[in-house]
Amino acid sequence: MRGKSAYTGKIAAEIDRGLKTYARYRAWLLSDLIQWPFWTVFFFFSILMYSPRLLASQQLINTLAWSFFSFVFVSSFLWAASSIVVEAQQGIVESLMLAKTSMRLHLVGRTVITVLDIAVGGAILLLLSSLLFGADLTVAHPQLFIAAVAVAFVFFLSFTAVLSTLLISVKSPWLVVSILQFVVPFSSGGIPVQLLPPDAARLISLSPFFYAIHPMVASATGSFYIPPQTLFTTATILTALMTLASIYAEKILVRKTLRNGKLAMF
Amino acid sequence: MKSLEKFLAVFEAEMKAYVREAGPLVFMASFPFFFSLLTYGVGSVLSEGQASPRDWFFQLIGFSVMTISITMASATAWYFRRGMITGRLEYTMAAPVNPIIIALASSLAHVAVALMSFIVVGFVGVLSVYGAAHLLNLTAALLLVFIALLPVVGINLVVGTLTIVMKEPEPISSTVSAVAAATSGFVYPITMLPTLLQLVGKTLPYFYVVETARSLIDGYFEATQLTNIFLMLAYLALGLAVYRLGENYYARKVGVHW
């Protein structure tokens, strides 16, 4: 098999790998069912500590619910980055290189788990936000929301690939991911920018991650910090740049590995 | 004496591995500032400037202990996972060193590293909110936080054993972190929670770590708090027992290969 059919076959194989991994390790599902209700409680009370009367504002509660959903989204993607590090240590990444399979394509398999995590975790978080805190889950702009999720998916898949190449040289990738999973979403719209002091909001709107996260939250709640057209155009451009960055990062990694041959050593 | 030497050797090796990773450690120490300032910013807007610096300090210490708890759980789970992948875990268990010594030494190295980040966060926080006079309280807090973190080591030994059984570190460490974060009063008073969740929080050691840190820095400490910390040490005994059970079962009967 060559060309397009080989590429399709590889993607199908990766999706199959992801589904099998998820089905084999039931701890994933069990963990999703237990951890997300607790994270939901944690996120809401972290903000409510300052102002319990926040519960009276329907718009704010809706915005918080969708902003916290972005945490599920980003966190699930970032953990995929550490999977590549483990595979590098197992020698799988070197085999991928020999088979001329791109690491980004290989990440699709792990992304299946990510998507299932988001589906289960995100649904739990949103439902509990509605049940416990009264969030209204009606999506204000459904079509824009689908587009925003698609853009965020490609953006974070590419970012995960870039991060993977950086984490390979770190001995304790989990330490970085444990913290980055909070830093990335919450510095980029995971806490609604409308709730922040104006200067902080402006600063956050400079983050490239903001343009991947805010379109999801804004199209769900209908509250845009930046006009939708500008937001989506910038998001698309940044996603394209992130994809290019992931290709470039992988090329550097391959070149470095072929020269040093130390990928599986740690 | 020989056991102590072995313990120190493992401890030293683990510490060296951590020191080599200075970047992530700096990251770990800066995270509580980042997050607490973000929520304080939101709090200031929502309360129209009524949020006090003490509220910020409450969350700063809370986020610091939370970071420590999350990274300790994660590091333990990954320690076992990497040990399984490389075969190091089997060698460790087959080595003429009591595996409990190895587990304890590497866990205490985690605690020591965690305390380093707590010193940085506590120093800056105390200085900016309470002033230099309270720095002595911070020193007392460090000592008791060290003891209060020992039961967390016990929980992490259970996390490690479960990683061997389930073969996936992330779901296990993330679940423990989520339960601890939500119920332990890290960033909001535990009294805000429903009774059931308060009960969960009070049966876990994390609540006592953060409560001890805050109250000692603030300059008060009650005998009951000390009793609670010592009661929580049962988690360390439980962790060691579970680890021993897992080690006996997996090293001798099943094997811990990947």
Side-chain angles (χ1 to χ4, degrees), chain A residues 158 162 239-249:
Chain A
S158 304
V162 174
T239 303
L241 288 174
M242 190 56 85
T243 309
L244 287 175
S246 69
I247 296 168
Y248 183 67

Side-chain angles (χ1 to χ4, degrees), chain A residues 21 25-28 30-32 34-39 41-54 60 79-80 82-83 86 89-90 110 169-184 186-187 191-192 194-198 200 204 266, chain B residues 18 21 24-25 27-28 31 34-36 38-48 51-52 55-56 58-59 63 66-67 70-71 74-76 78-79 81-82 85-86 166-168 170-172 174-175 177-179 181-183 186-189 192-194 197 200 258:
Chain A
T21 310
Y25 299 115
R26 289 188 192 120
W28 288 103
L30 196 66
S31 161
D32 284 341
I34 299 171
Q35 69 166 307
W36 290 115
F38 283 99
W39 281 126
V41 167
F42 172 78
F43 293 142
F44 271 96
F45 279 115
S46 311
I47 303 291
L48 288 174
M49 178 190 129
Y50 283 103
S51 181
R53 68 189 164 85
L54 184 73
L60 284 178
W79 279 114
S82 63
S83 72
V86 173
Q89 292 169 354
Q90 288 172 307
R110 177 58 177 77
S169 58
V170 177
K171 300 285 183 293
S172 313
W174 57 89
L175 205 65
V176 180
V177 175
S178 292
I179 295 167
L180 215 56
Q181 65 167 337
F182 292 98
V183 174
V184 170
F186 290 117
S187 65
I191 287 181
Q194 292 91 334
L195 296 185
L196 289 168
I204 277 178
F266 56 95
Chain B
Y18 274 112
E21 296 282 280
L25 291 181
F27 200 32
M28 193 173 146
F31 171 70
F34 160 79
F35 219 119
S36 59
L38 206 61
T39 48
Y40 182 66
V42 175
S44 297
V45 170
L46 292 173
S47 60
E48 288 154 1
S52 80
D55 289 334
W56 168 69
F58 181 93
Q59 290 205 326
F63 277 123
M66 184 179 135
T67 311
I70 288 177
T71 50
S74 198
T76 311
W78 279 89
Y79 172 83
R81 159 91 176 240
R82 201 152 76 169
I85 294 169
T86 58
M166 306 271 198
K167 293 183 177 169
E168 279 297 334
E170 290 151 29
I172 295 152
S174 298
T175 304
S177 299
V179 175
T183 61
F186 287 145
V187 294
Y188 44 80
M192 284 177 79
L193 293 170
L197 292 184
V200 173
W258 183 243

Side-chain angles (χ1 to χ4, degrees), chain A residues 181-257:
Chain A
Q181 65 167 337
F182 292 98
V183 174
V184 170
F186 290 117
S187 65
S188 315
I191 287 181
V193 276
Q194 292 91 334
L195 296 185
L196 289 168
D199 288 340
R202 264 195 298 278
L203 190 71
I204 277 178
S205 70
L206 295 177
S207 160
F209 299 108
F210 175 77
Y211 293 88
I213 292 171
H214 186 61
M216 278 195 295
V217 179
S219 51
T221 58
S223 172
F224 286 87
Y225 182 71
I226 290 172
Q229 206 177 352
T230 316
L231 186 67
F232 276 86
T233 310
T234 316
T236 311
I237 293 168
L238 286 171
T239 303
L241 288 174
M242 190 56 85
T243 309
L244 287 175
S246 69
I247 296 168
Y248 183 67
E250 190 176 338
K251 273 186 180 164
I252 291 179
L253 179 76
V254 172
R255 211 179 304 148
K256 223 170 116 182
T257 305

